[in-house]
């Protein structure tokens, strides 16, 4: 049979045939290598490889670094660290989610004495928990019995590890807690942000106070522990030497531990004395500052808390109790209060600058004054001091004198408000703590108008409340009359002149204002941090000194106000003479009693004690603590006694100055 032309195939060229042969040999050789390798792994070394696969797992366990120390100005330890036993959970090693995992949580909770739901919430919250291969801290300071029980029964606790970790330690406990601040697990919002860049989920970081403000310096660098474990989770041997963590740098501050401690002792005594007198005194605060440098020497607020409660994961019950007590609120820098008569030196300077009064202006006769209305403004106890000059008005804290000043200063250039703002009230102090401190309120006509505009805009639709407020009597009235707060009147300026009305200021702001009065017009943005030191104590960085802006203060006016403040403290007719008349140093101080409608009065005292090397201004306030001379003034005396190494004695005053 003859093939058709389409079925005929041309023979391969010799050169191509050789290439195909070579390629076939190579393919055969590759398959032979693969077959040999499989035979080698499965037959010759199969047993060893299987054992290795089931026996060895390399795990990198992060080692949290110790936070840097926080020191007072003398090198005393305010915050350090210690080593403590910790129980943690590695999520990747837990049984699958469900009944088996819950059983591990329940067993662990029973050993640690906590709720298993809390463990589940901590481990399973992927938003803030560390990666699954990294340990999640469940409890620190674990007792020896619990530690041993878990270690000896690893098969019952898959994914649970026990280890030694660095834990923050606050040797002073409650003293200075609010300024040192709190620690906590890094939040989702903080991850990747400055100053938390480079810090992983699950890490403990500063959340308030100095711990948060200087977080970038204090944190340190984590280490890594390389560990081989078998299938049951038992460590076998270290694969390589661990990389040790690098401790954080130390923060040296301007705080004085002795004065800080005495501040807490003093306001605790003030609260106790106030309660004996029938005043509840639930809270208090103090600030001490060097008026010439702007360095904060002491700062405290009560109720307080033990800072060690936040050094490890805090129990829900403990956190709830602290939060309910409002102890996390720093009244020293963020508390906003009317200041009572401690504001009068500011009123005096403003009126003098505006030419509304002079040193010789004599006024204030009568127990009460009125300004074309039926409302009367009276001295405390309806006392009548007669007509007095400015120095005497400050010495005796004559309200009727300053009421008249407030009336004269209403409107125009608003001289009282202008002076208050110049001395730092009405704006954040800018202290080196998160938020920089409360701005406060220096009220005027525009302020009240803005309050009303905001309220009416939020609540009202025309002359009627919006649906959400339709049944609220205050909203109905406000929308009908077109305002919530009464429009500004001369009476509001009269109240402002004596530190009342809408005025709100913090103890820190009053400390800054008085410091500016005594230092010639330097309005500081105070600082606490001074230096960054290495773990060994070497200087790493000198932190910026406190900045200030200069306010012109007429030396003649300043001397007049200072004479009145000295008289108030150490003249027989002064409102704090009982407390400071016998004090062995020259002081300049002013009592204040802030009136709160329907509540007990708030006690205030601000004092300056000159010294060539250790000048100091102290502001103390006691909420619902009564008259300034009864609670705040003797507390300030205790602090001054500590500062100047004098015998400490509680000497309460009797003045009923408002």
């Amino acid at each position: 049979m003859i093939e058709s032309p389409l079925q005929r195939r041309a023979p391969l060229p010799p050169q191509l045939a050789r290439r195909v042969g070579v390629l076939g040999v190579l393919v055969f050789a590759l398959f032979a290598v693969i077959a040999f390798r499989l035979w080698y792994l499965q037959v010759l070394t199969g047993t060893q490889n299987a054992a290795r696969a089931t026996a060895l797992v390399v795990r990198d366990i992060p080692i949290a670094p110790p936070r840097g120390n926080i020191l007072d100005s003398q090198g005393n330890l305010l915050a350090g660290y210690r080593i403590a036993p910790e129980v943690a959970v590695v999520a990747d090693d837990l049984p699958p989610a469900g009944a088996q995992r819950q059983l591990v949580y329940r067993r662990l909770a029973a050993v640690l004495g906590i709720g298993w739901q809390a463990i589940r919430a901590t481990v399973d919250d992927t938003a803030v928990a560390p990666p699954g291969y990294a340990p999640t801290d469940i409890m620190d300071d674990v007792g020896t019995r619990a530690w041993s029980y878990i270690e000896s029964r690893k098969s019952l606790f898959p994914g649970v590890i026990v280890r030694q970790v660095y834990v923050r330690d606050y040797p002073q406990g409650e003293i200075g807690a609010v300024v040192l601040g709190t620690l906590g697990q890094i939040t989702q919002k903080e991850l990747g942000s400055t100053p938390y860049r480079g810090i992983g989920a699950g890490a403990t970081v500063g959340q308030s106070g100095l711990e948060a403000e200087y977080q970038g310096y204090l944190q340190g660098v984590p280490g890594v522990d390389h560990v081989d474990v078998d299938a049951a989770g038992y460590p076998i041997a270290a694969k390589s030497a661990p990389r040790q963590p690098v401790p954080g740098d130390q923060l040296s501050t301007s705080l004085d531990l002795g004065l800080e401690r005495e501040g807490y002792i003093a306001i605790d005594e003030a609260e106790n004395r106030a309660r004996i007198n029938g005043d509840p005194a639930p809270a208090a605060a103090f600030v001490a500052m060097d008026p010439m440098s702007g360095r904060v020497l002491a700062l405290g607020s009560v109720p307080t808390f033990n800072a060690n409660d936040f050094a490890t994961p805090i129990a829900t019950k403990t956190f709830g109790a602290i939060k309910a007590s409002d102890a996390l609120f720093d009244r020293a820098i963020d508390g906003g209060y009317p200041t009572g008569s401690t504001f009068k030196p500011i009123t005096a300077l403003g009126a003098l600058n505006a030419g509304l009064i002079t040193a010789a202006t004599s006024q204030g006769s009568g127990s009460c004054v009125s300004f074309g209305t039926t409302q009367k403004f009276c001295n405390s106890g309806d006392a009548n001091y007669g007509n007095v000059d400015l120095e005497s008005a400050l010495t005796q804290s004559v309200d009727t004198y300053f009421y008249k000043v407030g009336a004269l200063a209403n409107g125009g250039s608003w001289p009282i408000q202008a002076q208050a703002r110049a001395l730092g009230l009405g704006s954040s102090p800018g202290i080196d703590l998160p938020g920089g401190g409360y701005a406060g309120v220096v009220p005027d006509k525009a302020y009240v108008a803005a309050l009303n505009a905001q309220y009416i805009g939020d609540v009202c639709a025309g002359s009627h409340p919006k649906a959400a407020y339709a049944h609220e009597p205050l909203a109905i009235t406000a929308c009908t009359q077109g305002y919530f707060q009464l429009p500004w009147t001369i009476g509001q300026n009269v109240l402002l002149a004596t530190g009342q009305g809408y005025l709100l200021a913090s103890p820190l702001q009053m400390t800054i204002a008085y410091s500016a009065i005594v230092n010639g017009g330097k309005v500081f943005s105070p600082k606490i941090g001074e230096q960054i030191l290495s773990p060994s104590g070497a200087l790493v960085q000198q932190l910026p000194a406190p900045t200030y802006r200069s306010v012109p203060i007429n030396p003649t006016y300043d001397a007049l106000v200072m004479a009145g403040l000295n008289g108030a403290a150490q003249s027989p007719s002064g409102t704090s003479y009982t407390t400071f008349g016998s004090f062995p140093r020259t002081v300049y101080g002013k009592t204040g009693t802030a009136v709160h409608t329907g509540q007990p009065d708030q006690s205030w005292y601000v004092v300056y004690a000159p010294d060539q090397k250790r000048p100091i201004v102290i502001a103390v306030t006691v909420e619902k603590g009564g008259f300034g001379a009864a609670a705040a003034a003797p507390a300030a005396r205790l602090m001054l006694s500590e500062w100047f190494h004098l015998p400490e004695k509680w000497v309460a005053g009797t003045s009923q100055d408002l």
Side-chain angles (χ1 to χ4, degrees), residues 446-460 482-485:
Y447 169 77
V448 177
L451 280 183
N452 281 323
Q454 180 176 353
Y455 184 86
I456 296 300
D458 291 343
V459 173
C460 302
Y483 59 84
F484 178 64
Q485 302 285 358

Side-chain angles (χ1 to χ4, degrees), residues 636-654:
R637 175 179 167 134
L638 287 180
M639 293 182 68
L640 286 178
S641 297
E642 162 66 27
W643 184 244
F644 291 116
H645 308 297
L646 300 170
E648 296 172 12
K649 181 181 179 182
W650 181 270
V651 184
T654 57

Side-chain angles (χ1 to χ4, degrees), residues 128-210:
V128 295
Y133 60 83
T136 298
D137 184 9
I138 301 300
M139 178 180 285
D140 295 321
D141 288 322
V142 179
T144 304
R145 291 183 62 183
W147 173 294
S148 301
Y149 187 88
I150 296 170
E151 276 282 79
S152 62
R153 294 167 175 81
K154 280 189 171 294
S155 61
L156 297 178
F157 299 96
V160 179
I161 63 172
V162 289
R163 59 179 183 168
Q164 299 280 358
V165 295
Y166 296 104
V167 172
R168 197 51 146 168
D169 182 56
Y170 300 94
Q172 311 307 323
E174 296 183 346
I175 303 301
V178 73
V179 67
L180 294 174
T182 60
L183 301 175
Q185 189 172 346
I186 191 169
T187 66
Q188 183 68 24
K189 183 179 179 181
E190 292 166 341
L191 282 170
S193 65
T194 306
Y196 302 98
R197 189 167 290 115
I199 299 176
T204 297
V205 297
Q207 295 292 352
S208 68
L210 294 173

